Amino acid sequence: MNPAQHGAAVAAETAAFVAAVKAADLSTPVPTCPGWTLADLTRHAGSVHRWFSELLRRRVQQPPTSREVDLRLPEQPDGLPDWLAASAAEAAEVFAATDLDAPMWAWGVDQHARFWVRRMLFETLVHRVDAQLALGLPPHIDRALAVDGIDEFLTNLPFASSFAPLTAQLRAPDRTIRFSCTDGEGDWLVGLRPDGFALVTGQAQPIAGDATVRGTAADLLLLLYGRLDRRSDAFRLLGDQDLLTHWFAHSAF
């Protein structure tokens, strides 16, 4: 997917999120985000939209020293769904006015404005799924979107230790974990070293991982985000199970 598609997908994912929560009881607990209600989840998603939009407006070149932003939250919780929709509309205006290929600080690999659009997309998608699961609605994730999301997650996870500190413990003496799609193309190899970990790229020939997780693209995406249990029937686990236990105990995002 390209940055223009990411922007359109943010709008679509937000619309699905808003549709799910619009008539819902916003005090409903969200099991995949322990301690949160639908109101908390909606507030978080809209806050992310407005914060990322502010970063894009300012085209920041250094890590920001403050996260202060005027959220313009509604006075009553029942206004949160419309507020989330307005947050996405504001983000769309910022996307349209921004050169997404412009250099910009980002916490991940891609040091361009487009990083934040892609990041906003998958933040929104996962929380849209959280909302639907909380309401007993079956979530659907487009396969191409799921593949892109897996790539985005695994590419940037090695740089997430500032807000996901357990990832700093993802080390091992030259071990590999492979994530493979069962519903089409999609294969990622993560290498764990004594000094850290990273997505392995540029392999001339695929190599067997010390451990492998196989599942559909959508299920793998939700697994990586901790929304599914690897021991469910949705996955086939091969190889070193202790290595997989180590990964999933320290890769929470």
Side-chain angles (χ1 to χ4, degrees), residues 32-34 36 44 48 52 107-108 115-116 118-124 126-127 130 149-167 170 197 221-227 247-253:
T32 48
C33 297
W36 280 14
H44 171 76
V48 168
F52 287 8
W107 61 259
F115 169 90
W116 294 103
R118 195 183 189 201
R119 182 85 290 279
M120 189 189 294
L121 167 57
F122 293 109
E123 182 85 7
T124 306
V126 170
H127 289 318
D130 288 330
I150 296 167
D151 185 79
E152 193 267 350
F153 181 93
L154 292 175
T155 296
N156 291 311
L157 189 65
F159 303 91
S161 61
S162 63
F163 55 87
L166 290 179
T167 59
L170 284 172
F197 72 103
L221 179 65
L222 295 181
L223 173 68
L224 289 168
Y225 275 96
R227 269 55 181 187
W247 171 269
F248 288 108
H250 297 90
S251 60
F253 193 93

Side-chain angles (χ1 to χ4, degrees), residues 197-231:
F197 72 103
L199 190 62
V200 178
T201 59
Q203 291 287 332
Q205 295 292 334
I207 62 173
D210 294 299
T212 297
V213 182
R214 292 177 54 78
T216 67
D219 285 344
L220 285 176
L221 179 65
L222 295 181
L223 173 68
L224 289 168
Y225 275 96
R227 269 55 181 187
L228 291 177
D229 190 325
R230 71 183 186 278
R231 291 159 293 201

Side-chain angles (χ1 to χ4, degrees), residues 54-64 103-106 116:
E54 182 63 18
L55 293 178
L56 285 164
R57 279 195 200 95
R58 290 160 44 194
R59 193 85 54 80
V60 297
Q61 300 300 319
Q62 300 290 335
M104 181 175 168
W105 173 83
W116 294 103

Side-chain angles (χ1 to χ4, degrees), residues 18 47 65 72 76 81-82 98 121 140 147 167 184 202 205 253:
V18 171
S47 299
T65 57
R72 300 189 295 282
Q76 300 298 326
D82 288 340
T98 301
L121 167 57
H140 170 76
V147 169
T167 59
Q205 295 292 334
F253 193 93

